[in-house]
Amino acid sequence: MAELKSTSSIAAHNAPRTIRSTRHAIASGETSTAALADSYYATIAAEDPKIHAWLALSRERATAQAHRIDDLAKSGDLANADTLPLAGVPIGIKDVLAMQGAPATAGSKILENYRPPYDATTVAKLAAAGAVLLGKLNCDEFAMGSSNENSAYGPVHNPCALDRVPGGSSGGSAAAVAANMAVATLGTDTGGSIRQPASFCGVVGLLPTYGRVSRYGLIAFASSLDRVGPFTHTVEDAAILLGVLAGPDPMDATSSGAAVPDYAAALQAPVKGLRIGIPDEYFGEGLDPEVRAAVEKTADALRAAGCTLHKVSLPHTRYAVATYYVLATAEASSNLARFDGVRYGLRAEDASTLSAMYRRTRDQGFGKEVKRRILLGTYVLSAGYYDAYYRKAQQVRTLLTRDFLQAFTHVDAILTPTAPTPAFRLGEKTDDPLAMYLADIYTVTANLAGICGISVPCGNSKEGLPIGAQILGKHFDEATVLRVAHAVEQAHRDGQAQR
Ligand code: GLN
C-alpha cells in the first residue's frame, strides 16, 4: 500500500481543477493565468521525475498565451462564458500531434529532432479557444502499445501506483491528468489508446466517432482507425473539449461536416428511459472478477437511474483482436514508409549508398515493436497473402461493424469493461507481445466499427487501483455516450462518498 501514498501526496499538492472552475478563476481575477501556469509547471517539476509523463515543455508558448489571456481578463473580455471556452486552461498534448514550437517525436528515436513548423488542427483549436499548452506527453512509439513501455524515451509510471503501467499508448496523457499536472490532455486512440490508459489511471477518456475530430497534424499509425480525443477529470470537461475539437476541417478529407451539438448542454438531460445493452461477449473468460463486479455494479446504478438493461450480442467479437492486428499493422507498414532518413529526424551517417542509408536509418531509428509491426503489416499485404489476411480482415471488419449496427437498433448505448484487468505491473507483459495484444479485446472493436465511446472511472480494486467502465455509442452519438458516462460518474462519486 505504500505505493498508493504517492497519489494522495500528488492530489494534496494541487487539487484537481475542472475546465469550468479554471476558466471562472481566471475570468473573475481570482488567479492570473500566468500564476496558474507557473503552478502547473511547479507540480510537473515536483512530480514528473517519478512519473515521466512529459517529453518536452513549451514554456515560452505557454507564457505568451497566458499573458494574452490575462490581458483579456483584465479588460473584462472574458466575462461572457462563451468567449474563449478554454481561457487559461492548462492542457498537455500527446507527442504524436504537431505543435509549433515543440518537438514531435511520437515516442520514437527516428523523429528525435523533428520540430513540426505548424499546429495539428486539434492543437490549433485548443489554442484558439484560449488553452495554455504546457508541453508534449510521452507515449508508446508511434502509438503502438498498451503500456507505454514501447516509448524510446522510457516508460511512464502510473500515478496511482508507481510500479504499474499507466496503460498505453497515451500513457503520458492519462498520467498527467491523474497526477494533476494538467487540467486536461489530448491523446489518440487507434485500438484503445485513450480509453485503456484512462481506465488504468482513473480519469475520463473519450473516443470520438471516426471523422468527428480532425486528424490533420497527427503522425499517422493506422489512418482508418486513428482518432484524437481528450483526457479529463470529469465527463463535463470531456463534453466541453469535444465541443471545441469537433467539426469539419478542409485539411482532413475524412472529417465530417455533421452538425456539432452542444455536448455540455446534453449532459443536463436525464438518462431515464435510455436502453443500455450488455454484451455477453465482453464478460467472458479472462475478465478480472473485481473488474466484472465493478461494471455489474455500474449496470445496477444505471438501472436505478431509470435506464433499462438489455442483453445484446456482438457475435464476431472473438475475431476482433486478430482483425485489428492485421489491419492496423498493414496501415502502419504503409504509413511508416515515409521515415527514411531523407526528410525528417534521424539519418544514419555511416552509409555509402542511398539504400544502405534507408536501411540503417530505419534499423537504428525504429524500436522492436515498431519493427515487428512493419514486418507483420508488410507480410499481410504481400502478393499471395493479401487475400488470406488483409482482404479477409476487411471482410471481418464489416461483420464487426454490422454487429454494432444491429445492436444499436434496440439499444441506445452499450456498457462493457474498458480493459479486462486493472493496471498491470511494469515489465509484466513486455516479453509476451501476444498477451499484450489480447488485453485490447474490449477496445479495438469500436475503432474497427468507427463508433464512439468513453471510459469513465467506476470503481477500485481492493488494492486501490482504478477500474473503468466503457460506454459505446452509435456513430456521431457522443451526446448519449457522455450522458450515460455522466450518470456513471455520479453513481461512482456517491458510492465513494458513502465509504
Ligand atoms: N494497444 C493497441 C496497439 O498497440 C492500440 C494502440 C492505440 O490505440 N494507438 O495497437
Side-chain angles (χ1 to χ4, degrees):
M1 283 312 269
E3 61 200 21
L4 292 177
K5 280 202 193 110
S6 59
T7 328
S8 34
S9 73
I10 289 167
H13 189 85
N14 195 348
R17 282 180 180 273
T18 61
I19 292 175
R20 198 186 286 277
S21 72
T22 308
R23 198 195 174 285
H24 177 76
I26 287 163
S28 68
E30 186 188 314
T31 177
S32 75
T33 312
L36 186 75
D38 281 348
S39 83
Y40 275 87
Y41 280 122
T43 307
I44 292 170
E47 305 298 342
D48 206 46
K50 297 197 279 273
I51 295 168
H52 195 39
W54 298 87
L55 292 180
L57 300 176
S58 46
R59 225 169 158 148
E60 213 176 299
R61 182 171 172 164
T63 307
Q65 174 85 330
H67 288 141
R68 185 180 146 237
I69 300 296
D70 281 337
D71 288 345
L72 290 171
K74 266 187 229 130
S75 53
D77 289 349
L78 299 179
N80 178 349
D82 291 338
T83 328
L84 302 186
L86 304 179
V89 178
I91 292 184
I93 307 293
K94 183 178 181 181
D95 208 32
V96 290
L97 287 159
M99 176 174 150
Q100 202 176 5
T105 70
S108 182
K109 279 273 176 254
I110 211 160
L111 286 177
E112 193 162 14
N113 302 313
Y114 175 53
R115 295 179 83 89
Y118 69 107
D119 277 347
T121 297
T122 43
V123 171
K125 283 187 168 195
L126 294 180
V132 172
L133 304 176
L134 298 174
K136 304 298 294 289
L137 291 155
N138 204 348
C139 57
D140 282 305
E141 186 174 0
F142 288 104
M144 297 175 186
S146 310
S147 67
N148 217 125
E149 291 165 299
N150 297 334
S151 167
Y153 303 98
V156 176
H157 295 255
N158 190 320
C160 304
L162 293 172
D163 63 339
R164 305 264 170 173
V165 302
S169 65
S170 316
S173 302
V177 173
N180 292 318
M181 297 189 285
V183 169
T185 57
L186 286 189
T188 61
D189 190 316
T190 304
S193 282
I194 292 176
R195 291 159 291 156
Q196 183 255 23
S199 147
F200 282 12
C201 291
V203 298
V204 176
L206 175 72
L207 169 79
T209 305
Y210 188 80
R212 180 74 296 186
V213 172
S214 167
R215 288 180 295 112
Y216 177 68
L218 163 62
I219 297 170
F221 161 10
S223 309
S224 80
L225 300 161
D226 294 342
R227 324 262 180 94
V228 182
F231 286 89
T232 54
H233 290 291
T234 65
V235 173
E236 185 187 58
D237 281 0
I240 294 172
L241 278 175
L242 183 62
V244 171
L245 297 170
D249 177 9
M251 300 304 280
D252 175 0
T254 65
S255 66
S256 165
V260 179
D262 184 340
Y263 295 110
L267 297 182
Q268 305 312 317
V271 291
K272 190 163 187 295
L274 285 179
R275 300 161 303 171
I276 308 294
I278 313 280
D280 265 351
E281 292 85 354
Y282 284 62
F283 291 83
E285 205 191 325
L287 176 60
D288 179 282
E290 290 190 289
V291 175
R292 172 196 296 272
V295 178
E296 285 173 353
K297 219 173 121 198
T298 301
D300 291 342
L302 287 174
R303 191 194 285 124
C307 298
T308 54
L309 305 182
H310 306 264
K311 261 190 188 314
V312 291
S313 180
L314 301 167
H316 296 92
T317 302
R318 65 196 155 120
Y319 304 115
V321 171
T323 304
Y324 170 82
Y325 277 95
V326 169
L327 296 177
T329 57
E331 293 187 28
S333 72
S334 161
N335 273 326
L336 269 55
R338 74 190 67 173
F339 303 110
D340 55 9
V342 175
R343 284 160 292 190
Y344 350 69
L346 185 83
R347 174 182 298 184
E349 281 180 356
D350 45 355
S352 53
T353 65
L354 180 63
S355 75
M357 191 279 283
Y358 287 159
R359 271 184 277 116
R360 284 186 202 172
T361 297
R362 289 168 67 82
D363 185 44
Q364 290 167 18
F366 289 137
K368 204 163 127 196
E369 181 61 25
V370 173
K371 285 178 185 161
R372 178 165 24 242
R373 295 193 187 204
I374 292 172
L375 283 171
L376 254 171
T378 307
Y379 179 80
V380 301
L381 286 173
S382 59
Y385 295 103
Y386 181 95
D387 286 333
Y389 295 107
Y390 184 75
R391 186 190 304 279
K392 183 62 77 186
Q394 290 288 25
Q395 289 166 335
V396 181
R397 181 176 191 174
T398 302
L399 296 176
L400 284 158
T401 308
R402 282 191 199 150
D403 280 358
F404 280 109
L405 296 180
Q406 173 61 27
F408 285 131
T409 59
H410 50 275
V411 295
D412 302 299
I414 292 175
L415 171 70
T416 79
T418 305
T421 63
F424 44 90
R425 286 198 162 75
L426 283 150
E428 195 176 315
K429 291 192 206 287
T430 36
D431 293 334
D432 190 350
L434 191 59
M436 194 78 96
Y437 296 172
L438 289 172
D440 295 338
I441 173 93
Y442 303 141
T443 48
V444 294
T445 48
N447 299 77
L448 290 164
I451 60 173
C452 59
I454 197 167
S455 179
V456 57
C458 74
N460 286 95
S461 72
K462 280 193 217 69
E463 284 179 277
L465 299 168
I467 296 172
Q470 174 174 242
I471 293 128
L472 298 172
K474 293 175 205 168
H475 293 105
F476 297 101
D477 194 14
E478 287 84 358
T480 300
V481 161
L482 287 160
R483 246 166 93 196
V484 176
H486 195 227
V488 172
E489 177 179 64
Q490 280 166 348
H492 178 49
R493 287 219 183 113
D494 294 347
Q496 279 183 323
Q498 276 161 26
R499 250 187 285 141

